[in-house]
Structure formats: C-alpha cells, structure tokens
C-alpha cells in the first residue's frame, strides 16, 4: 500500500461519499472503489462501512486514518520542500490574521513584504480564529496570527504567544457616557445595555470576566449589540452612533489623536488586552517567504511602539 492509497482513504473519510471523494480526487468512482478495496485487502481490515447515503470509517478505519493523515501530510510537505529547494525560490505564501492584528499590523506588514520581495505572491485572509483554523487545517494557509485564548491546544497545532495588545472601551466625542465620569461595573453595565457594545468576537475568558464583574448569569446576557470581524466597520459605527466600541488601543490611535474617539475610564476593571500569537501546523516547515513574514510581524509586535 502506497501514499496514493492512503490519500484515497483520507479523502473518502472526509467526504463520506464515494462520488464526492472521487470528484475531489479527479478519479472515476469505480477506480476509487477498487483502490479502497485494494487497501482493505492489503491490511486485511474493513476500513469503511458502506451505507446507502454515507460511508463511515469502521473502528479499524479510524485507527488507520489517524496515521494515514500524518503520512499524507508529511508526503505533501516533502514534495513542497523539495520543489522549493530544487527551484531555489522563496515560494509564495498565504496566511491569515484575526480582526485585531488586521486593524493594527497587517497594512504596514504587507508594505514591508511588497517592498522587500516584490516578486512573490501573498494572500492574506482576515477572519475569526475558527475560520482561520479551518483553513489552516485544510492547508490553505501556512499560518495565522490571532488572539489565541480560545484556540484548542491540540497535537496537530503549534501555538506561539507573541504579545498582549492593550485594549479598552471607546466612544465618540460628545457621547453621553463621557459626562458621567469614571464608570463602576454596575454603571457600566447599565450604560452598555442602553447603548450596546460593538466588538469582534469576545474570547471566552473575557466573556466570563465580564459576566462576573457585571453580575450577569451568562455570556448570553451581555449587551453585545454588534459583532463584526472588521474593526474598521466597528469604528465607523462607533463614530456615527452611541455604541460602545471594544478595540485595541493601537487600532483607534488615529481617531483618539484627532479627538474623535475617547477611551472610557473604568476603575475596578482588570486591564483588557488581546493575547496575540502565531498558529501553525506542527511539523510543517514554513516557506522562506512565510518565514520572512513571521519574522517581520514578530518584530513589529514586539517593538516598543507595537505594544
């Protein structure tokens, strides 16, 4: 049994249907069926239960599948690295960024990369960590940068913490809350219920803290009026309405300097922050371009001005 058979096993397990798996592999359905039968014969194990509508791995199939995935992954990595070595190319790259780094470091990062390596192709995707993790595991991204507090620490992932970006609550100039002075937790809750919070997806740890401080029963009761992965959109809404914006300080620095957004004083609250880190597939060697991007974004975030 070779890598081709293992690739077919993985594809059938993912698609749960011979027709869909065959289409994904650019094979005829009979050819895929023969390949699976040959793999089962070689292992002397039944790997799949064939249902009328769906194919499911047997317990033996799950056992084989766990190792097959690793071997197929390593095979793709080997071919990719050999091609890079043979062609002596930097290699193109695709990476992802969460909403907060997208609003703070993505633009200067892309400027730097385009200036230093104008010949490479870059695909930068912006989204929440769940979307980015799905694309990473599908090998559509080499890595992503996001708040890592909710990301599961599973054996297939390598998570590297980089920096904590200070965050806060911001409102437009002239907002009614600015007349009330510093806000205690109860007063802040009442204000947020009245005006609504505009934020990216709040990490579970921060939701739990807000629930405790505001005396709420669950995260569902938090007054989040607008959730959006685009911080620029959130800023636009906060400037045009009475919504209370949660954002990193660096993401609203220009609006604060211009006097258009003002940070609320919230004594009694612990410091808010975004815990940024890099997430990669364990065992996957970054392309030279990806490694350069990682080094540049790390330097930007850890520089004194990036804190």
């Amino acid at each position: 049994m070779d890598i081709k058979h293992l690739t077919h096993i993985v594809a059938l397990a993912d698609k749960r249907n011979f027709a869909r798996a065959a289409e994904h592999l650019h094979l005829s359905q009979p050819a895929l069926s023969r390949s699976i039968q040959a793999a089962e014969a070689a292992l002397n194990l039944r790997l799949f239960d064939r249902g009328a509508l769906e194919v499911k791995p047997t317990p033996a199939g799950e056992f084989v599948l766990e190792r097959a995935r690793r071997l197929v992954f390593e095979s793709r990595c080997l071919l990719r690295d050999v091609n890079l070595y043979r062609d002596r190319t930097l290699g193109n790259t695709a990476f992802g960024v969460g909403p907060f780094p997208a609003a703070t470091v993505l633009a200067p990062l892309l400027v730097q990369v385009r200036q230093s390596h104008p010949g490479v192709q870059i695909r930068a995707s912006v989204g929440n960590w769940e979307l980015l993790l799905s694309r990473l595991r599908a090998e559509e991204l080499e890595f992503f940068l996001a708040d890592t507090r909710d990301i599961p620490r599973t054996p297939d992932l390598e998570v590297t913490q980089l920096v904590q970006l200070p965050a806060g609550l911001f409102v437009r100039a002239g907002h009614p809350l600015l007349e009330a002075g510093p806000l205690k937790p109860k007063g802040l809750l009442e204000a947020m219920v009245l005006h609504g919070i505009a934020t990216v997806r709040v990490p579970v740890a921060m939701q739990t803290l807000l629930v405790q401080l505001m005396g709420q029963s669950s995260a569902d009761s938090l007054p989040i009026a607008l959730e959006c992965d685009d911080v620029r959109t959130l800023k636009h809404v906060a400037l045009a309405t009475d919504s209370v914006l949660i954002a990193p300080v660096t993401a609203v620095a220009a609006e604060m300097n211009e006097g258009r957004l003002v940070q609320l004083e919230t004594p009694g609250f612990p410091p808010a922050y975004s815990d940024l880190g890099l997430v990669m597939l364990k065992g996957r060697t970054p392309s030279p371009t990806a490694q350069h991007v990682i080094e540049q974004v790390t330097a930007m975030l850890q520089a004194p001005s990036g804190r």
Side-chain angles (χ1 to χ4, degrees):
M1 189 168 58
D2 56 21
I3 286 293
K4 178 184 70 174
H5 288 109
L6 296 177
T7 301
H8 295 172
I9 291 170
V10 171
L12 183 57
D14 287 343
K15 300 300 181 181
R16 300 294 178 105
N17 178 277
F18 272 97
R20 290 195 297 268
E23 182 180 4
H24 174 74
L25 293 165
H26 305 292
L27 290 175
S28 68
Q29 189 171 333
L32 176 59
S33 181
R34 289 193 297 270
S35 176
I36 298 298
Q37 290 171 1
E40 291 179 321
L43 296 172
N44 195 26
L45 291 170
R46 184 175 180 84
L47 301 178
F48 295 95
D49 287 328
R50 282 79 162 168
L53 298 176
E54 189 175 59
V55 176
K56 293 183 179 180
T58 64
E62 293 287 3
F63 174 80
V64 172
L65 185 62
E66 179 183 352
R67 290 151 181 81
R69 287 190 189 280
R70 290 203 298 266
L71 290 170
V72 170
F73 173 70
E74 290 293 341
S75 175
R76 286 197 296 263
C77 288
L78 175 62
L79 290 175
R80 170 181 168 275
D81 291 348
V82 166
N83 288 335
L84 288 173
Y85 179 84
R86 183 191 61 225
D87 298 337
R88 291 183 172 83
T89 58
L90 283 172
N92 303 323
T93 189
F95 64 93
V97 289
F100 282 175
T104 53
V105 298
L106 181 58
L109 172 66
L110 293 178
V111 168
Q112 195 285 330
V113 175
R114 291 297 303 144
Q115 289 175 341
S116 59
H117 300 295
V120 303
Q121 296 179 351
I122 304 291
R123 285 191 291 112
S125 301
V126 178
N128 62 65
W129 70 264
E130 289 181 316
L131 173 64
L132 297 177
L133 181 57
S134 174
R135 297 193 62 189
L136 179 75
R137 283 180 164 147
E139 298 180 52
E140 297 172 7
L141 305 175
E142 289 203 66
F143 68 92
F144 68 86
L145 173 70
D147 192 307
T148 61
R149 283 174 286 184
D150 288 349
I151 295 176
R153 299 319 197 251
T154 52
D156 64 326
L157 298 180
E158 182 177 323
V159 181
T160 305
Q161 299 303 129
L162 294 181
V163 70
Q164 290 183 345
L165 287 183
L169 302 173
F170 303 90
V171 295
R172 63 173 179 80
H175 194 286
L177 288 180
L178 296 175
E179 301 174 5
L183 292 170
K184 298 293 184 180
K186 183 179 179 181
L188 183 57
L189 173 61
E190 294 172 351
M192 288 182 170
V193 170
L194 177 62
H195 301 295
I197 301 172
T199 179
V200 301
R201 182 177 301 185
V202 181
V204 172
M206 181 59 69
Q207 290 183 26
T208 302
L209 180 61
L210 289 173
V211 166
Q212 293 172 348
L213 289 171
M214 294 182 175
Q216 298 298 287
S217 58
S218 70
D220 292 336
S221 60
L222 292 175
I224 297 177
L226 173 61
E227 186 178 282
C228 177
D229 287 336
D230 188 341
V231 176
R232 290 175 299 177
T233 297
L234 293 174
K235 288 194 294 184
H236 182 82
V237 171
L239 287 166
T241 71
D242 285 343
S243 302
V244 179
L245 171 66
I246 299 179
V249 175
T250 50
V252 296
E255 290 81 4
M256 290 180 66
N257 289 336
E258 296 165 0
R260 296 193 294 147
L261 283 178
V262 182
Q263 186 168 1
L264 292 175
E265 295 183 50
T266 54
F269 276 80
Y273 61 90
S274 178
D275 203 354
L276 293 188
L278 286 168
V279 184
M280 305 176 64
L281 291 175
K282 189 166 290 185
R284 175 74 180 258
T285 302
S287 67
T289 299
Q291 186 60 46
H292 174 76
V293 173
I294 290 170
E295 291 170 356
Q296 292 304 310
V297 75
T298 300
M300 287 180 180
L301 287 171
Q302 296 182 344
S305 60
R307 291 185 181 273

